Amino acid sequence: MMENGGSCLPCTPDEERQIVQDLKNQSDLDLKEGNLYFLISTRWYRSWERYVCGDEPSIDNISFDSPHMNGVSSKRAERPGPIDNSDIIQNGNGSSEGDDLEVRRNLEEGQDYVLVPQQVWEKLFCWYKGGPALPRKMISEGIVNEKRVEVFLLCLKLIDSRDNSQTVIRLSKKNLFNKLIHSIACAVLHLLFTWKARIWDYFNKQRSTSPLDVSDQTLDDAMLQMDQDILLEVQVDNGISMDSTGNDLALVPIEPSRSSLTIAGGPALSNGHTTGYRFNQYPGSSFGSTFMDMDDGYDSYNTAKKGEKGGLAGLQNLGNTCFMNSALQCLVHTPDLAQYFLGDYSDEINTENPLGMHGELALAFGDLLRKLWSSGRAAVAPRAFKGKLARFAPQFSGYNQHDSQELLAFLLDGLHEDLNRVKQKPYIEMKDSGGRPDEEVANECWKNHKARNDSLIVDVFQGQYKSTLVCPVCSKVSITFDPFMYLTLPLPSTVTRTMTVTVFYANGSGLPMPFTVTLMKHGCCKDLILALSTACCLKIDEGLLLAEVYNHQIFRFFENPAELISSIKDDEHIVAYRFDRKQGGKIKLEIVNRWQEKSASDYLKGSERKLFGAPLVTYLEEEHLSGADIDIAVSKLLSPLRRTYSSAKAHGGKENGFLPEVIDELSNSHNESVETAELEDLCSRELSFQLSLTDERISSCKPIQKDSILKPGKHIKVLLDWTDEVHELYDPSYIKDLPVVHKTGFTVKKTRQEAISLFSCLDAFLTEEPLGPDDMWYCPQCKEHRQATKKLDLWMLPDVLVFHLKRFSYSRYLKNKLDTFVNFPILNLDLSKYMKSKDGESYVYDLFAISNHYGGLGGGHYTAYAKLIDENRWYHFDDSHVSPVSEGDIKTSAAYVLFYRRVKSKTKAEMAETSQGHCC
């Protein structure tokens, strides 16, 4: 194997897997900037994993939306063809590294592509060829130098000022201007070294005040955005050159480039991942003032036109930044935040907090908020803010779609630390409740929290809930009072799923039959079995064994009733074997069908035989099995498939080894009526079928003879060869063409999902539940980790209450989004009944902003609804586009994050209009 690891010699699947695993482990030990990685389509990589892993865990600890890596069967898929990356390339074209290839920008790691180290790519390419190769470099991002692979290169439109022609270039954001400019001019426009040129930031068709090529900064530092324009000015002669606007050019001579920088159309080996844009204001940085001044593409503070009110400016999409725009519009239209940042908050900036961003995030947010409230309806480009965000939170840099709620959580926490009035946080030892009154413990916890955390964000957004843990062994009760910034509410499962499963008889007493059942989408295998049991009229002494069929074999048995059905995909084939409970747990016999499509002469070669149909499964009770026992079992399983008439040839009074009268008796044995004497008579004859003993992966076959003795085991796998004689006696159509779990298309009529209320989501959030096995609680009385029960109660509510509807769920195999419509109040959300304390505050809230998410995972779109309180009118913020919207239209199934503001006082007449009425 070591020899194969260093060459392109053919390897076994196990050898390939081990070689790749070793190379990955070596790469993980040497993570550094500049390391080269390659993108591979998940579709192809998953097929390769099925080939080399079988039932073992995935080589990567990455879910590829498939449960197959953990199956109990050791099935091995066929060897995949050449590497095929066509599905992750823009427009699906491009055939070689020399082509100008761009990966699709809505790709999601794990779901669409995987990243492998250079050594792994070279080995896979050596074995499989194909491509095209998509190399990317590892870069360092942010102030913590977080290592990331730059998957999406920065795409810029280079405009030649001489004729306004455009050239698209793609390059790493870590390239330096003072070297890159020369490569662009020479390689893209074929300029001579003696000519002179200069590059300008041309965002929004406005030239920057300083050229880009005179600095030793990177593209990242300059905050260049995806698909934006940059302007090239060239001196054609030795005299003074004019650009298209008639302005004199300040030019620098071009020198030969000594770098190996990569641009589109050139070698791809220096390409590199997500683009983030920094805004640096270090002493001596020439980019600090230049790009802050022209950040939004207009003057720093455009005044609103006469008669126009502020707060109606959109935010330009800088490349998949709709998630950021949605979150920002919700925060900007929070009245308390707007009033604060439109005033003088400089005295509250905390530049010394090690947990903050030295005040830079708060300053950038405040500057952006002022622009949005003072620019009328002119859209603002949040380049400086995005640069700060990328610097302090590299996970949000680049052009991947992100989660608006995750960004909101980061922003609120970051703004709090930047505005924290506490300069030196004291150390406070937390005390147990010790049976004291809840009010005393709650006040103590809040006082301790405020001693370390005191900011506008705490004043406006933070509340407190009561957490009660109970030990299941000693009944120890632990009560704590914890602060919260927002409430993440689960959505009660109201979505159903339709599944089709084919039921087989494990005793051969009937024909297989498909059944379609409907059950909760997030149910488990136990729920599926119960639904099938009702549909197929299962007897009280019978059971069902669920299995997945892949490549005409059992891929895995669903023997854990608690396994979620979300691991079963719609395009898979699921079967259930109906068996007598008395036989359950005995030796499991799996019969895999095989036939020969060509002539009889080719049949003897053994290489042209193909698997077909669904496997048959039964239980055997004998511990010491012979070939005759297997033959009898196969005869019973096939008996329902026997044709009503046959043109079988006579072979000494037998049909394929059967006596005609024996066949008749077997075919009528649906109720296991074959007598012991008849079976013994059958055993005395030669085997009726061509059977071969094989292993789990069908890598070897051993013919079964009448007197063959099979080694005992829990699972025996046998190949059944369908000869011409067997075809004449039995009809294989009953076991062919298994239906998939769910076939999508126009024939399937979708039912309207049942709506749920915000109150039911809150009830689910506050319901007592046991902790998960990975979240055990250490009981101070037992001195052991226990799976305690946990109960949450609302104790103190903030002035601005944020609800996060948990629409996205993540598991090992699946990522899912719930599009369930949640009916939420717009006015008079009354939470009085949920409060465990009475602090004299109002518990009535009005909605003022919503962050919406449309579409699925990876390729969705975010927008926002926000209410201008002074106008009492709602607006729709869709990136740059802002339009009024009626209050009745803001309730949609896209609602993701809800922002409520406390109503300070309500009269009895106003309170008469309850929140329940507004939910209608």
Side-chain angles (χ1 to χ4, degrees):
M1 191 173 72
M2 293 300 296
E3 179 182 355
N4 289 343
S7 68
C8 280
L9 294 177
C11 298
T12 66
D14 290 333
E15 288 175 338
E16 287 190 17
R17 178 188 59 188
Q18 189 61 51
I19 291 171
V20 169
Q21 185 63 61
D22 291 344
L23 292 174
K24 283 177 175 287
N25 292 338
Q26 293 174 13
S27 175
D28 291 341
L29 297 175
D30 187 30
L31 295 178
K32 64 178 183 294
E33 190 172 3
N35 284 358
L36 203 59
Y37 288 78
F38 285 76
L39 279 74
I40 298 181
S41 166
T42 294
R43 182 182 61 179
W44 184 90
Y45 194 76
R46 182 169 56 186
S47 66
W48 175 78
E49 280 198 317
R50 286 176 173 172
Y51 169 63
V52 299
C53 291
D55 65 333
E56 298 180 25
S58 166
I59 283 188
D60 296 311
N61 292 323
I62 299 175
S63 167
F64 294 129
D65 210 18
S66 171
H68 295 163
M69 299 307 160
N70 274 342
V72 296
S73 168
S74 55
K75 175 205 67 77
R76 179 95 69 183
E78 295 181 359
R79 189 176 193 272
I83 299 172
D84 183 6
N85 284 334
S86 60
D87 61 324
I88 62 175
I89 297 174
Q90 189 71 31
N91 298 325
N93 54 20
S95 58
S96 68
E97 288 110 12
D99 291 338
D100 183 9
L101 300 180
E102 180 183 8
V103 296
R104 293 190 290 111
R105 296 183 191 173
N106 61 344
L107 298 180
E108 186 174 345
E109 184 171 1
Q111 183 173 325
D112 300 299
Y113 70 89
V114 295
L115 288 167
V116 299
Q118 179 179 1
Q119 301 90 329
V120 173
W121 165 262
E122 291 173 349
K123 186 55 62 180
L124 291 174
F125 183 78
C126 178
W127 291 328
Y128 293 92
K129 306 304 180 186
L134 300 172
R136 297 292 185 265
K137 277 187 177 181
M138 177 170 283
I139 60 175
S140 296
E141 288 191 304
I143 58 175
V144 295
N145 289 325
E146 181 176 339
K147 301 295 187 296
R148 289 176 177 269
V149 178
E150 191 177 19
V151 174
F152 302 97
L153 302 181
L154 179 61
C155 180
L156 300 172
K157 297 177 182 178
L158 184 68
I159 299 178
D160 189 342
S161 64
R162 296 170 297 174
D163 57 5
N164 287 327
S165 62
Q166 295 187 12
T167 303
V168 176
I169 59 173
R170 298 182 183 93
L171 58 164
S172 171
K173 64 182 180 181
K174 292 299 180 180
N175 284 328
L176 297 175
F177 278 111
N178 62 348
K179 294 183 180 179
L180 180 64
I181 176 61
H182 307 296
S183 296
I184 293 176
C186 299
V188 176
L189 300 179
H190 311 291
L191 299 180
L192 299 176
F193 294 146
T194 56
W195 289 13
K196 299 177 181 180
R198 179 155 288 177
I199 293 291
W200 302 83
D201 187 335
Y202 204 48
F203 186 76
N204 280 341
K205 302 299 183 182
Q206 291 194 345
R207 194 174 71 172
S208 57
T209 56
S210 299
L212 299 177
D213 55 295
V214 298
S215 172
D216 206 23
Q217 299 283 345
T218 66
L219 306 184
D220 192 16
D221 298 326
M223 299 179 296
L224 296 181
Q225 306 299 310
M226 180 70 81
D227 296 326
Q228 81 154 76
D229 297 334
I230 56 176
L231 182 66
L232 174 68
E233 295 178 336
V234 179
Q235 180 178 356
V236 180
D237 301 313
N238 291 328
I240 300 298
S241 176
M242 307 288 286
D243 67 1
S244 58
T245 63
N247 297 322
D248 293 347
L249 302 183
L251 304 174
V252 294
I254 294 177
E255 298 176 359
S257 173
R258 296 180 177 86
S259 67
S260 58
L261 301 176
T262 298
I263 55 177
L269 291 182
S270 67
N271 289 352
H273 168 341
T274 357
T275 308
Y277 310 99
R278 293 189 197 167
F279 170 62
N280 294 322
Q281 281 186 306
Y282 299 117
S285 171
S286 63
F287 282 86
S289 59
T290 299
F291 292 99
M292 174 66 84
D293 291 343
M294 53 83 63
D295 171 57
D296 58 2
Y298 305 92
D299 295 334
S300 293
Y301 296 102
N302 292 331
T303 57
K305 295 179 181 179
K306 186 175 181 179
E308 281 190 347
K309 294 185 178 181
L312 295 179
L315 286 165
Q316 291 188 24
N317 193 315
L318 304 179
N320 259 346
T321 57
C322 58
F323 77 97
M324 182 181 74
N325 294 346
S326 173
L328 286 174
Q329 291 289 8
C330 291
L331 291 180
V332 164
H333 288 86
T334 301
D336 301 83
L337 288 184
Q339 182 180 359
Y340 180 86
F341 282 100
L342 287 175
D344 184 7
Y345 58 95
S346 58
D347 290 342
E348 293 203 335
I349 295 293
N350 189 339
T351 60
E352 303 172 4
N353 188 354
L355 299 179
M357 292 75 176
H358 313 295
E360 294 185 43
L361 183 65
L363 289 171
F365 177 80
D367 183 71
L368 179 61
L369 182 143
R370 287 169 178 253
K371 291 176 182 177
L372 289 171
W373 278 95
S374 62
S375 63
R377 292 179 177 268
V380 175
R383 293 209 297 172
F385 181 82
K386 189 175 186 297
K388 289 294 185 185
L389 187 65
R391 182 182 172 203
F392 292 108
Q395 66 269 28
F396 296 116
S397 65
Y399 304 108
N400 275 338
Q401 184 69 278
H402 296 282
D403 191 317
S404 68
Q405 186 274 330
E406 292 179 0
L407 176 63
L408 279 167
F410 170 80
L411 289 179
L412 289 174
D413 187 64
L415 290 174
H416 156 65
E417 296 295 354
D418 271 4
L419 300 173
N420 198 346
R421 304 177 185 109
V422 179
K423 307 300 181 181
Q424 296 293 330
K425 295 188 177 184
Y427 171 76
I428 301 175
E429 186 174 351
M430 302 303 295
K431 299 178 182 178
D432 193 12
S433 59
R436 293 179 292 163
D438 286 348
E439 290 77 7
E440 178 183 340
V441 179
N443 291 335
E444 179 184 88
C445 291
W446 187 251
K447 180 181 178 181
N448 293 339
H449 176 66
K450 287 280 286 186
R452 295 172 54 85
N453 304 276
D454 185 14
S455 69
L456 168 78
I457 304 301
V458 174
D459 298 340
V460 174
F461 287 93
Q462 287 198 354
Q464 188 182 39
Y465 59 71
K466 174 185 176 182
S467 175
T468 304
L469 291 170
V470 180
C471 177
V473 177
C474 70
S475 299
K476 164 70 176 177
V477 177
S478 175
I479 297 176
T480 58
F481 291 84
D482 303 308
F484 67 84
M485 194 88 74
Y486 51 88
L487 297 177
T488 297
L489 306 184
L491 273 62
S493 182
T494 60
V495 183
T496 58
R497 181 182 183 186
T498 300
M499 304 181 70
T500 299
V501 178
T502 304
V503 177
F504 288 77
Y505 285 84
N507 60 2
S509 60
L511 290 169
M513 182 71 66
F515 292 91
T516 300
V517 295
T518 301
L519 61 160
M520 300 308 295
K521 189 174 183 179
H522 299 289
C524 58
C525 289
K526 180 181 178 181
D527 302 322
L528 178 57
I529 291 175
L530 289 175
L532 286 172
S533 301
T534 302
C536 69
C537 302
L538 198 70
K539 298 178 182 178
I540 192 171
D541 58 345
E542 290 181 317
L544 288 176
L545 176 64
L546 288 176
E548 178 188 349
V549 175
Y550 179 78
N551 196 23
H552 311 294
Q553 308 168 60
I554 297 296
F555 183 38
R556 58 170 176 161
F557 290 103
F558 296 92
E559 296 180 305
N560 178 13
E563 181 172 351
L564 297 177
I565 61 171
S566 57
S567 66
I568 302 174
K569 299 178 66 176
D570 284 347
D571 60 352
E572 293 174 344
H573 300 87
I574 303 299
V575 296
Y577 296 98
R578 184 172 181 168
F579 65 93
D580 190 331
R581 292 186 184 274
K582 298 177 181 179
Q583 294 179 321
K586 302 293 183 180
I587 299 175
K588 200 180 298 176
L589 174 64
E590 177 187 352
I591 307 298
V592 180
N593 301 285
R594 188 169 65 169
W595 65 8
Q596 168 67 33
E597 293 181 333
K598 295 187 177 181
S599 63
S601 59
D602 292 333
Y603 186 85
L604 298 177
K605 298 178 183 178
S607 60
E608 299 295 331
R609 285 176 280 190
K610 297 181 180 180
L611 305 182
F612 80 96
L616 305 175
V617 173
T618 189
Y619 285 101
L620 301 176
E621 298 184 7
E622 295 82 357
E623 294 185 1
H624 302 287
L625 296 172
S626 65
D629 296 325
I630 303 297
D631 193 67
I632 293 174
V634 173
S635 299
K636 292 178 64 177
L637 289 173
L638 290 183
S639 58
L641 310 183
R642 185 172 181 267
R643 301 179 189 273
T644 54
Y645 62 91
S646 174
S647 59
K649 299 179 181 178
H651 298 281
K654 300 180 181 180
E655 294 179 341
N656 192 36
F658 282 113
L659 288 176
E661 59 271 17
V662 175
I663 294 175
D664 291 337
E665 291 171 354
L666 287 176
S667 64
N668 294 324
S669 62
H670 291 180
N671 296 316
E672 299 182 359
S673 59
V674 179
E675 301 296 336
T676 303
E678 295 170 335
L679 294 176
E680 291 177 352
D681 180 63
L682 184 60
C683 291
S684 66
R685 310 178 189 280
E686 293 298 324
L687 295 185
S688 307
F689 304 96
Q690 293 185 14
L691 305 173
S692 301
L693 183 66
T694 185
D695 55 17
E696 291 298 318
R697 294 169 179 169
I698 314 186
S699 58
S700 64
C701 298
K702 181 180 180 181
I704 297 178
Q705 305 298 332
K706 172 187 172 183
D707 54 354
S708 298
I709 302 300
L710 281 68
K711 294 181 180 180
K714 292 184 179 181
H715 187 191
I716 298 176
K717 196 167 188 175
V718 172
L719 289 172
L720 166 62
D721 288 312
W722 281 65
T723 61
D724 292 339
E725 291 81 1
V726 175
H727 266 287
E728 291 180 357
L729 287 172
Y730 301 98
D731 186 355
S733 63
Y734 293 106
I735 60 174
K736 295 170 64 177
D737 301 325
L738 284 178
V740 295
V741 170
H742 181 72
K743 186 175 182 180
T744 57
F746 67 92
T747 57
V748 179
K749 183 178 180 180
K750 293 186 177 181
T751 58
R752 186 178 183 273
Q753 296 177 354
E754 178 185 353
I756 60 177
S757 71
L758 183 65
F759 297 104
S760 62
C761 297
L762 192 56
D763 289 335
F765 173 74
L766 299 175
T767 300
E768 183 180 58
E769 61 180 359
L771 297 176
D774 297 329
D775 191 24
M776 305 278 272
W777 171 64
Y778 182 79
C779 176
Q781 191 163 295
C782 295
K783 308 297 183 183
E784 296 280 349
H785 283 90
R786 302 295 189 191
Q787 194 168 359
T789 58
K790 184 176 184 179
K791 174 72 170 69
L792 296 178
D793 294 293
L794 299 181
W795 188 263
M796 182 177 68
L797 296 180
D799 289 341
V800 173
L801 182 57
V802 180
F803 290 111
H804 165 222
L805 302 180
K806 197 174 181 181
R807 294 194 178 276
F808 301 102
S809 62
Y810 303 90
S811 66
R812 176 175 174 81
Y813 306 117
L814 292 175
K815 296 180 180 180
N816 182 51
K817 183 195 173 186
L818 293 174
D819 288 317
T820 307
F821 175 75
V822 177
N823 200 5
F824 48 87
I826 298 176
L827 301 175
N828 297 335
L829 168 65
D830 190 354
L831 300 176
S832 300
K833 68 176 182 179
Y834 295 100
M835 299 303 298
K836 291 299 180 182
S837 71
K838 304 299 179 182
D839 55 9
E841 291 281 359
S842 168
Y843 304 128
V844 179
Y845 289 81
D846 287 348
L847 186 72
F848 70 87
I850 307 173
S851 176
N852 302 304
H853 180 269
Y854 298 90
L857 294 169
H861 180 61
Y862 286 92
T863 67
Y865 291 125
K867 183 178 182 180
L868 265 62
I869 305 299
D870 294 340
E871 291 186 21
N872 193 29
R873 189 173 186 181
W874 285 88
Y875 288 89
H876 182 215
F877 294 84
D878 185 358
D879 289 332
S880 300
H881 183 68
V882 180
S883 58
V885 61
S886 66
E887 187 174 89
D889 292 334
I890 65 174
K891 287 188 181 182
T892 69
S893 59
Y896 183 43
V897 185
L898 307 174
F899 289 74
Y900 283 89
R901 187 189 188 202
R902 190 197 303 273
V903 178
K904 295 299 182 181
S905 62
K906 284 282 185 180
T907 65
K908 291 184 178 180
E910 290 172 325
M911 288 298 296
E913 188 179 4
T914 64
S915 60
Q916 296 290 345
H918 283 279
C919 278
C920 298

